[in-house]
Amino acid sequence: MTAGAAPDVPALRPGACQLWWASAGDAHPRLRELLDEGERARADRLRRPAERALHLTAHALARTVAAAQLGIPAATLPLTVVCKRCGGPHGKPQPPLPLRLSWSHSGDRVVVALSLGTEIGVDVERIAPFAPETAERVLCAPERTALAALPAARRPEGFVRYWTRKEALLKATGDGLAVAPELLHLTAPDAPPRLLSWSGPERPRLPLHLYDLDAGTGHLAALAAFGAPVRPTQHDGSALLAAVGAARCAPGTSCHLPLPAAERPLAS
């Protein structure tokens, strides 16, 4: 594993979880060469340039860091997608064992999480107003009470804190939104992150570990590990993608993927 690690990607150690951060502005056309045919097709179906930039950045970064651990080209990295419930070709993409992978993007932020052996889930969200009916669908009764007790100006942040934690947990278990988020009861937004209870017959038997992450101004993020705790480490995905782009761009050409002003994500 360590022999194949690229110089810009530290070798992944057991018990660690690398978190690679980037932004929509890191997208450039040459990164498309790192994606497989299906990933490029999905990118082309996205109508908004900002969404395509986030998609391209996330997939290229995930392939780059995972492939570096295996010592193979990013474009050749096999990613298996199998639903844990029905066995269909959908769900969380996974590289060859023992690598475990998760990624997320929202607003202007992209995060990729990578571990050895431990199932992980990561989620980042832009802080934004939410509709009351959304809280009804996502939060259990004690969580709604805790959210309502916050000052009005802090409720959007509180709701997003709940959401990122729940999304990370459900990604780590592989359930995704097949499990209703309101079945999970978490600690209050201001308290250290912890799963208090999981209602219903599908509660995981292994322990779940939850971490709040610093996602920068205007965003919140969370990481979850299923079965064993991990040690999160932070890494610069923007610099890594810039190096990848520079290596793949012909001299005298521009590799920047510009976004029209109306489509640029709001500044953090």
Side-chain angles (χ1 to χ4, degrees):
M1 177 71 65
T2 59
D8 292 317
V9 180
L12 188 58
R13 304 297 184 185
C17 178
Q18 292 183 359
L19 294 160
W20 291 86
W21 293 92
S23 69
D26 299 321
H28 48 80
R30 297 305 293 261
L31 292 182
R32 284 178 58 89
E33 299 174 16
L34 306 182
L35 276 56
D36 64 23
E37 183 177 347
E39 291 166 338
R40 289 193 295 269
R42 288 193 293 276
D44 293 339
R45 289 195 294 269
L46 296 172
R47 299 180 61 184
R48 298 181 64 238
E51 294 174 346
R52 291 198 299 271
L54 285 169
H55 176 95
L56 176 59
T57 301
H59 285 255
L61 182 58
R63 284 183 162 275
T64 297
V65 297
Q69 301 296 334
L70 299 172
I72 62 175
T76 67
L77 176 73
L79 289 176
T80 303
V81 182
V82 179
C83 176
K84 65 174 282 187
R85 293 172 174 271
C86 69
H90 54 89
K92 182 170 67 172
Q94 293 289 12
L97 293 173
L99 287 181
R100 301 290 82 185
L101 180 67
S102 180
W103 67 74
S104 178
H105 53 76
S106 177
D108 187 46
R109 301 297 282 152
V110 172
V111 60
V112 172
L114 192 68
S115 72
L116 283 178
T118 302
E119 293 289 352
I120 49 175
V122 71
D123 188 58
V124 62
E125 300 290 340
R126 181 184 173 193
I127 300 172
F130 64 94
E133 55 268 25
T134 303
E136 291 286 337
R137 294 194 304 268
V138 170
L139 305 182
C140 63
E143 292 169 340
R144 295 196 298 270
T145 299
L147 185 65
L150 293 176
R154 295 193 55 225
R155 287 173 197 161
E157 178 181 347
F159 175 79
V160 174
R161 181 67 78 190
Y162 272 130
W163 177 251
T164 56
R165 292 172 176 179
K166 293 192 178 200
E167 181 82 354
L169 286 167
L170 293 174
K171 286 183 175 182
T173 63
D175 292 295
L177 294 182
V179 168
E182 65 266 26
L183 296 180
L184 280 62
H185 178 199
L186 306 184
T187 49
D190 290 338
R194 185 162 61 91
L195 175 67
L196 299 175
S197 66
W198 181 311
S199 303
E202 298 180 355
R203 177 186 172 91
R205 296 184 179 181
L206 295 177
L208 285 158
H209 304 272
L210 194 56
Y211 312 84
D212 288 335
L213 305 176
D214 181 1
T217 304
H219 297 74
L220 295 174
L223 171 72
F226 184 29
V230 294
R231 299 184 305 276
T233 61
Q234 308 285 343
H235 302 271
D236 189 349
S238 295
L240 181 63
L241 291 180
V244 170
R248 304 180 77 86
C249 287
T253 64
S254 173
C255 279
H256 180 62
L257 185 63
L259 302 180
E263 296 292 346
R264 291 178 190 147
L266 295 178
S268 303

